Amino acid sequence: MVPVTSVELRRAGDRANTRTDWLTSAHSFSFGHAYDPDNTHFGLLLASNDDLVAPGSGFATHPHRDLEIVTWVLSGVVRHEDSSGASGLIYPGLAQRMSAGSGVLHSEFAEPGERVHLVQMWVSPDESGVVPSYQQVDVAERLDGGGLVPIASGLPGHAADTALLINQRDAGLSIGRLGAGGWVQLPAAPFVHLFVARGAVRVEGLASPAGSAGTELVRAGDAVRIIGCDGQRVTAVADAEVLVWEMHRDLMQ
């Protein structure tokens, strides 16, 4: 059974960080050196890294295994190459998915001339050891119509609509672009993770400090974790972009 609904705000400034001369990465969950045993995942989401990468720099070839990796670029252009032979340029409005499966090596570098801002998310697959695969789709036009648009999903209900298929039947990522005053309704699901990529929103059911009237403002870089989501409304205070993971079980289930 899903616990009684809880709505938890996680502020951008409270995230652990990795900083080098070419990278600033803010981690929503335990990642690398930044280990917190009480914050290893939420639902099936294992990582949500908010990265700033210097022009011409990036992540040299490194391995992954048994992960569904979804990358969403907010600005700049990323060049991807991997050991399956896949390669591509990832830019704003283009969604990318890599299924690491039985094992893959890949690299990601910012193209010269412009810093890259991206969000990379990792989800546990529902089957280990699958053949690695890669997919990228330009979804910019789909987002122009408003609402939450399935972008990367294995949920049966998203099968006909999602741009990218992931190997996890209990999870799906949707993205919404909202003008000021616009709103979307979150999916009803045991676990929903909302990340504000741009702008600012208010989330129904998220109380303001000390129980005062209204709801708390959720800004770029903030996240909201909802257990037992029953379709809360998210309203944009300023032009906003939200990334919403809908998950129907927890990693430990």
Side-chain angles (χ1 to χ4, degrees), residues 150-169:
I151 296 298
S153 180
L155 292 168
H158 286 170
D161 300 320
T162 190
L164 307 171
L165 293 172
I166 64 172
N167 296 307
Q168 178 47 262
R169 66 179 68 88

Side-chain angles (χ1 to χ4, degrees), residues 80-99:
H80 166 95
E81 295 183 353
D82 68 48
S83 56
S84 75
S87 63
L89 296 177
I90 315 164
Y91 49 83
L94 182 139
Q96 183 231 42
R97 180 270 300 164
M98 184 177 73
S99 297

Side-chain angles (χ1 to χ4, degrees), residues 127-140:
E127 182 181 358
S128 61
V130 301
V131 176
S133 62
Y134 178 88
Q135 189 181 12
Q136 63 179 50
V137 177
D138 192 315
V139 298

Side-chain angles (χ1 to χ4, degrees), residues 185-199:
Q185 186 173 18
L186 295 175
F191 301 92
V192 168
H193 186 273
L194 165 74
F195 179 78
V196 180
R198 312 178 204 267

Side-chain angles (χ1 to χ4, degrees), residues 14 20 23 34 52 66 71 83 91 129-130 132 150 162 177 179-180 193 241 247:
D14 294 334
T20 71
L23 172 69
L52 296 171
D66 290 331
T71 301
S83 56
Y91 49 83
V130 301
T162 190
R177 286 181 176 166
H193 186 273
E241 185 167 298
M247 296 165 285

